[in-house]
Amino acid sequence: MNNSHFPADFLWGAATASFQVEGASREDGRGQSIWDIFCRQPGAVLNGDTGDVAADQYHRYPEDVALLRRLGIQAYRFSIAWPRIIPEGRGKINQKGLDYYRKLCDELHASGIQTVATLYHWDLPQPLQDEGGWVNRSTSYAFEEYAAVCFSELGGYVDRWITLNEPYCSAYLGHYMGVHAPGHRSLDETVAVIHHLNLAHGLAMQKYRETKATEPIGITWNPTTPRPATRREEDSHAADICKMLETNLFVHPVMGKGYPEAAKTYGFDFSSLSHPGDLDIISTGPLDFIGINFYNERAVSWSQSSKFNYEFEPSWEEKTDMGWPVTPSGLLRMLRIFALECPGIPLYITENGCAMADVVGENDTVDDSRRIAYLRKHFKICREAIDEGIPLSGYFLWSFMDNFEWAFGYSKRFGIVYVDYATQRRIPKNSAYYFRDVIAGYGL
């Protein structure tokens, strides 16, 4: 069976993020990020791991680009490290940082690979955090300044732009659950961060439209679209609440629908944060595409005792090394929702993949057959979505290579390329060759 049902212009890519792969954390003028500081808080990251070296892509990008080309990957989604471009968060520009991304893009283009740059993948400059970070409205305007620099200086190098990656994680994991940088636990902070991230996206969109550039620009969300655990009405209501708080608070304002009024019941009141004109800025458009990061779907039930009246239920499906259930049918449900709620906007899967306990075997082979099975199931769902008429335009596998997995340090491996962190040697896993074959038209 080949993948002839995928359109000829369907874009096959792989993804990484700056802090997770670049390393060189103190080189060539790069400033400190909130993750550099968070990694050094006792107990914050497993084994005290840091991103100081990571996968050393800052020095090894020619080797990595050659490997992308060898695998037939058509586009590389990477993120730009804000502290590498403007070390203090605002003000002086670091030319060496710009030079690095120009060289990376030149190398990719010379290999026939499209460049997809994410402006913000969580590595906020620490000097801005010292002023309050995303809780402080001024950070949105610092992001606008940083985005303008990227558009001006890298505009001829980037084929597609993404403003923010998973603002849910920056808000909830960083400021409500405390498991990501900066490690805070405050609902009031979380509400402020949600609004200021949304505002930052809108301000960046305005700046980009002012440039008259024609390369596509969008945003990447990791939406929660849970299914009710039972047919009971209260579980259906719980699923609606979960979607409202974890998805609609981000999607609806950007799509011009404002904040869900019902969210105020749970403490998400933006009236004191939203200045006149904010919602118009946030919904600056049009979005040229929407990026969706999907790893799993969860079942939820009504809970009278939980703060937000929903809780996630145990699942029967096979689990990845992260403990996440493998639920490819949930991807189809999610794509249907976005096709319905955001009509006419091309959709890209900007992250999808799984962590597995990979081991290098004989002859430098990594048999990750469970990852191949995971990918095959999700590729078939992508094809089903296209056959239904859903405007799915591309797929970016997470991740191109093993890397620093945030609070889990180097204990989880998502890559289709194995990284030996002691030597930085790259070893393509069997899934890398499987992905190559799928892109070439085979393997499903």
Side-chain angles (χ1 to χ4, degrees):
M1 182 186 298
N2 65 32
N3 67 356
S4 59
H5 285 203
F6 285 97
D9 60 352
F10 189 83
L11 187 63
W12 293 100
T16 62
S18 51
F19 192 81
Q20 294 180 271
V21 299
E22 283 182 1
S25 65
R26 292 175 175 80
E27 292 185 39
D28 291 340
R30 178 189 178 275
Q32 294 286 282
S33 77
I34 55 175
W35 272 94
D36 291 294
I37 303 306
F38 187 67
C39 286
R40 285 165 172 78
Q41 295 180 14
V45 176
L46 188 66
N47 300 321
D49 290 341
T50 74
D52 290 357
V53 177
D56 197 31
Q57 189 167 87
Y58 188 81
H59 299 112
R60 298 171 185 265
Y61 70 88
E63 174 187 357
D64 292 339
V65 173
L67 188 49
L68 285 163
R69 184 180 186 280
R70 175 183 166 196
L71 296 175
I73 292 170
Q74 298 171 326
Y76 184 45
R77 179 185 173 223
F78 59 93
S79 74
I80 298 170
W82 188 347
R84 207 178 283 287
I85 304 300
I86 307 179
E88 297 299 314
R90 58 170 69 88
K92 186 177 180 181
I93 298 169
N94 177 32
Q95 188 61 45
K96 289 185 177 180
L98 290 171
D99 290 345
Y100 166 70
Y101 293 107
R102 287 171 177 160
K103 289 185 292 185
L104 173 63
C105 291
D106 281 344
E107 194 82 15
L108 288 162
H109 284 152
S111 295
I113 299 167
Q114 295 185 34
T115 56
V116 182
T118 302
L119 289 170
Y120 186 70
H121 200 130
W122 310 348
D123 43 0
L124 183 73
Q126 182 61 33
L128 293 180
Q129 182 61 44
D130 294 340
E131 299 173 4
W134 288 111
V135 178
N136 188 339
R137 182 181 174 90
S138 68
T139 299
S140 303
Y141 292 91
F143 180 78
E144 177 189 31
E145 176 188 332
Y146 155 67
V149 170
C150 291
F151 297 149
S152 172
E153 300 298 325
L154 300 175
Y157 296 84
V158 173
D159 299 314
R160 283 177 176 79
W161 293 96
I162 295 171
T163 56
L164 305 176
N165 178 79
E166 299 183 350
Y168 165 87
C169 292
S170 298
Y172 280 87
L173 301 188
H175 294 81
Y176 186 68
M177 303 173 194
V179 295
H180 278 194
H184 297 177
R185 292 179 173 87
S186 164
L187 180 58
D188 288 342
E189 281 197 11
T190 302
V191 174
V193 170
I194 290 171
H195 183 66
H196 296 150
L197 284 165
N198 288 338
L199 180 61
H201 160 77
L203 290 167
M205 287 291 292
Q206 283 191 343
K207 281 294 180 186
Y208 190 69
R209 294 308 179 199
E210 290 172 7
T211 70
K212 307 298 183 183
T214 58
E215 289 78 16
I217 186 170
I219 187 171
T220 283
W221 290 305
N222 58 325
T224 303
T225 52
R227 63 183 187 272
T230 74
R231 292 189 178 188
R232 289 193 295 270
E233 184 177 348
E234 60 264 34
D235 287 353
S236 180
H237 184 44
D240 289 340
I241 296 169
C242 180
K243 181 174 179 289
M244 174 179 67
L245 298 184
E246 300 193 11
T247 300
N248 296 351
L249 289 179
F250 303 95
V251 176
H252 281 196
V254 171
M255 297 306 299
K257 302 176 183 178
Y259 290 108
E261 188 68 21
K264 292 179 180 179
T265 303
Y266 297 97
F268 292 84
D269 186 347
F270 300 92
S271 55
S272 64
L273 294 161
S274 187
H275 293 194
D278 277 9
L279 291 177
D280 290 333
I281 294 171
I282 291 169
S283 60
T284 297
L287 289 174
D288 295 319
F289 65 89
I290 292 171
I292 293 173
N293 292 354
F294 179 85
Y295 292 95
N296 65 86
E297 177 191 75
R298 303 289 297 275
V300 299
S301 63
W302 172 266
S303 171
Q304 191 63 44
S305 59
S306 68
K307 186 174 181 65
F308 302 136
N309 289 140
Y310 66 86
E311 60 186 13
F312 293 106
E313 289 290 330
S315 59
W316 57 270
E317 297 95 345
E318 175 191 5
K319 307 297 189 299
T320 69
D321 202 36
M322 295 290 287
W324 298 342
V326 179
T327 56
S329 58
L331 175 58
L332 185 57
R333 282 188 280 269
M334 179 180 290
L335 290 171
R336 286 170 175 164
I337 289 172
F338 271 81
L340 181 66
E341 295 187 358
C342 308
I345 302 177
L347 306 176
Y348 287 82
I349 296 170
T350 39
E351 289 183 25
N352 175 243
C354 60
M356 295 295 177
D358 302 315
V359 177
V360 179
E362 293 182 7
N363 301 317
D364 279 347
T365 58
V366 181
D367 180 7
D368 57 340
S369 55
R370 291 178 62 214
R371 179 175 288 106
I372 292 172
Y374 176 101
L375 294 174
R376 179 181 287 117
K377 291 173 184 176
H378 288 80
F379 295 156
K380 287 184 176 181
I381 290 295
C382 292
R383 196 170 65 184
E384 285 185 40
I386 293 169
D387 290 345
E388 285 188 13
I390 293 171
L392 181 62
S393 300
Y395 174 100
F396 288 78
L397 191 152
W398 186 272
S399 63
F400 169 54
M401 62 203 307
D402 293 336
N403 53 54
F404 176 85
E405 186 49 40
W406 307 113
F408 293 94
Y410 296 100
S411 68
K412 306 297 181 184
R413 294 183 178 270
F414 276 87
I416 56 171
V417 173
Y418 186 96
V419 176
D420 180 340
Y421 296 114
T423 65
Q424 292 298 337
R425 190 162 62 106
R426 277 79 161 126
I427 305 171
K429 305 174 189 178
N430 285 354
S431 59
Y433 302 124
Y434 169 69
F435 192 43
R436 177 202 63 194
D437 285 352
V438 169
I439 296 170
Y442 309 94
L444 286 186

